[in-house]
Amino acid sequence: MKAIIIGAGPAGCALAHGLKKAGISFSIYDKGADVYRHRHWAFTLGWARPYLFDLIPEYLSAQINTCQVDPYVDCAAIGEDRIVIYNGQTREEAFAFPIPKAREINIRKLRVLLAEQLNVQYGKSFSHYELLENGGVKVSFEDGSNDEGDMVIGIDGAMSKVRRCLLPREGNMDTLPFALMNFNASYTTEQALFIKERLHPLVDIAIHPAGHYIRVNVLDMPDEKDASTWRFQILSTWPLKYVEDHENEVDRLKRLKAHVKRDGWAEPYKSAIEWIPEDTKVLRDQLKIWKTVPWDNQGGRVTLCGDAAHAMTFHRGQGANNAFFSAHCLVDALKSVQTGSASLKDAITAYDESIWTRGANEVQISKAQTFFTHDGLDNFINSPVMKFGTKPSHAAKSEGYQ
C-alpha cells in the first residue's frame, strides 16, 4: 500500500511520520518553494498534544519546546497554562479557561522540525487526480509531473485543491462578515520590551465591548537578549460595519490603527497597534470556513484530512488540534489496512464517516464562537467556549481534559 500525501504543513508531516512508524509507504508533496514558505503565525497546542506525540518520533517530541514562540517560558510551571480573555477597554480578566500543559507554537518552526527525514518534495502544486483501472490513483502536478499510489490524501490546508477536485460543486469556502488582519510586526527594543512584559505568557486575547477582537503574541525570539530581533503576531477581527471595511484592498494598517484609536483600548493593545511601523505589510485576508459535507472516497482511494476536511475559524482555538487528531485517526485507519483487518475501502469509509460528523460539528461550533466573540462581552457567557472551554467537543480524550 502506498499513500500520496498532498500538503506538508505540520499536520501533513505528522501524518507522514505516523505512516512511517507503521511501515506504510508514502510520498509527500507541497506547493511551497521550500519548508519556510511565505507566511508565519502561531497556534495553541492543547488537547491534541498526545495525539501529535504518538504520530512523530520521540526525538522530535522531545524538541517541541524549541518550537514555542517563547522557548524560554514554561506556562505550566508558572501556573499560566490557561487561556485568558481580557476586556480590551480595561485590561481586566473577563474569562479564563484551563488548557493543561499548553504551548504556543510557531508554525514555521514546527513545520521545519517535522519535515526532518521525510523527503518532502517542494514546489509541487497539485493539479488533479485520476482513478486507474488497476484500482489505484494517479496524481498530476502543475509542472507536468505525476505519481501513482493506492490512495491520495488531501491535507493541503483550508483552501485545499484536492477538496475542490473531489467536490467541484461544494468544495469552495464560505466567507464570514468580519474583517480579518493577520500579520507580523517588529518594534524598537524599548517598544518590544514594553509590549512583551505586559502580555500573557501563553497568548494574549482581548475583546473590546465594541465587538473588536485582538490577539497579540510574540512570534519569534531569535536573540533572547536583543528585543529588536523579536517578531510579534497581530491577529484582529471585527464585524463588517463600514464601507471602508468592505473595500478591503488598501490602507489596511491605517484602518486597524483608526479603529483602535476610535474605540479606546487599554495597554498593551493601544501601543502594540499604534507603534506598528507604517511600512509593515498587511496582506488582504478574509475570514473563511468550509463546513464538512460528505464526499465520495472512490472506494477508499481519495480522502481529506486536517483543515482540508474541516476549515474552521480560530476564535475557539480548535483548528490545529483537530487537524492533528484527524491525522491520528487516519493513520489508525491505514494501520488496519496494513494488518489486513480491514479493506482500504472499509477503513477509509469508517474514517470519513467520523470526519463528516465531527468536522461539520466543530466548524459550526467555531463559527458560532466567532459571532459571539463580536457580540459584546455581556453575551459572551452564552458562547460555546463557556460550555466547552478549551476541550474538544467530541469523544477525543487527552491528558487533563477527561
Side-chain angles (χ1 to χ4, degrees), residues 53 84 96 104 122 180 208 217 219 237 271 334 339 355 384:
F53 284 8
V84 179
E104 193 66 19
Y122 291 100
L180 167 63
H208 193 282
N217 54 271
L219 183 61
T237 53
S271 294
L334 291 174
T339 60
I355 287 285

Side-chain angles (χ1 to χ4, degrees), residues 61-80:
S61 299
Q63 299 178 63
I64 195 72
N65 286 353
T66 67
C67 298
Q68 290 189 127
V69 295
D70 180 352
Y72 313 103
V73 67
D74 183 339
C75 288
I78 62 175
E80 286 294 345

Side-chain angles (χ1 to χ4, degrees), residues 95-319:
F95 308 97
F97 313 92
I99 182 165
K101 299 184 180 180
R103 293 168 174 84
E104 193 66 19
I105 298 294
N106 178 311
I107 196 170
R108 179 180 289 171
K109 287 183 179 179
L110 183 61
R111 192 166 59 231
V112 171
L113 178 69
L114 297 187
E116 283 189 19
Q117 301 181 14
L118 284 182
N119 190 29
V120 178
Q121 298 184 56
Y122 291 100
K124 294 289 188 179
S125 182
F126 171 86
S127 171
H128 61 279
Y129 65 82
E130 303 168 53
L131 304 177
L132 302 177
E133 290 185 3
N134 65 6
V137 62
K138 178 180 177 180
V139 171
S140 297
F141 299 94
E142 297 288 356
D143 63 4
S145 61
N146 55 69
D147 192 7
E148 293 184 14
D150 294 284
M151 68 173 307
V152 58
I153 301 166
I155 190 166
D156 49 337
M159 303 292 288
S160 172
K161 289 180 73 175
V162 178
R163 183 183 70 231
R164 282 177 279 162
C165 192
L166 179 61
L167 290 161
R169 291 187 182 86
E170 299 175 290
N172 292 319
M173 303 188 77
D174 294 324
T175 302
L176 302 185
F178 299 93
L180 167 63
M181 298 194 186
N182 182 19
F183 60 97
N184 306 164
S186 294
Y187 301 94
T188 66
T189 297
E190 295 75 17
Q191 290 170 345
L193 288 169
F194 176 91
I195 295 167
K196 188 173 187 306
E197 285 169 0
R198 288 160 176 79
L199 293 178
H200 188 276
L202 183 65
V203 60
D204 202 291
I205 298 171
I207 300 172
H208 193 282
H212 189 167
Y213 168 102
I214 290 181
R215 163 182 159 157
V216 184
N217 54 271
V218 66
L219 183 61
D220 198 6
M221 300 174 67
D223 184 343
E224 182 189 11
K225 306 297 184 185
D226 183 359
S228 69
T229 68
W230 302 350
R231 290 188 67 74
F232 292 76
Q233 178 186 5
I234 310 291
L235 179 58
S236 184
T237 53
W238 63 86
L240 293 172
K241 295 180 179 178
Y242 305 97
V243 172
E244 62 268 24
D245 288 334
H246 288 273
E247 295 169 355
N248 201 17
E249 302 294 337
V250 296
D251 295 330
R252 291 172 58 75
L253 179 57
K254 180 180 178 181
R255 188 152 58 252
L256 174 61
K257 290 188 175 187
H259 277 306
V260 169
K261 184 176 181 180
R262 179 198 67 205
D263 293 336
W265 280 74
E267 296 290 6
Y269 316 105
K270 176 180 179 293
S271 294
I273 302 301
E274 183 181 312
W275 292 340
I276 298 168
E278 296 299 330
D279 60 353
T280 301
K281 288 185 178 179
V282 183
L283 300 177
R284 184 178 188 269
D285 269 319
Q286 291 179 304
L287 196 60
K288 294 186 175 185
I289 62 171
W290 186 72
K291 185 177 178 181
T292 313
V293 298
W295 55 80
D296 180 355
N297 64 31
Q298 308 292 337
R301 289 183 284 179
V302 187
T303 194
L304 302 174
C305 190
D307 286 351
H310 37 66
M312 62 193 73
T313 55
F314 47 78
H315 294 100
R316 205 173 81 84
Q318 297 297 305

Side-chain angles (χ1 to χ4, degrees), residues 8-33:
C13 288
L15 171 70
H17 278 294
L19 296 182
K20 191 174 181 180
K21 268 189 177 183
I24 298 171
S25 177
F26 67 89
S27 52
I28 180 167
Y29 298 91
D30 194 89
K31 67 180 180 181

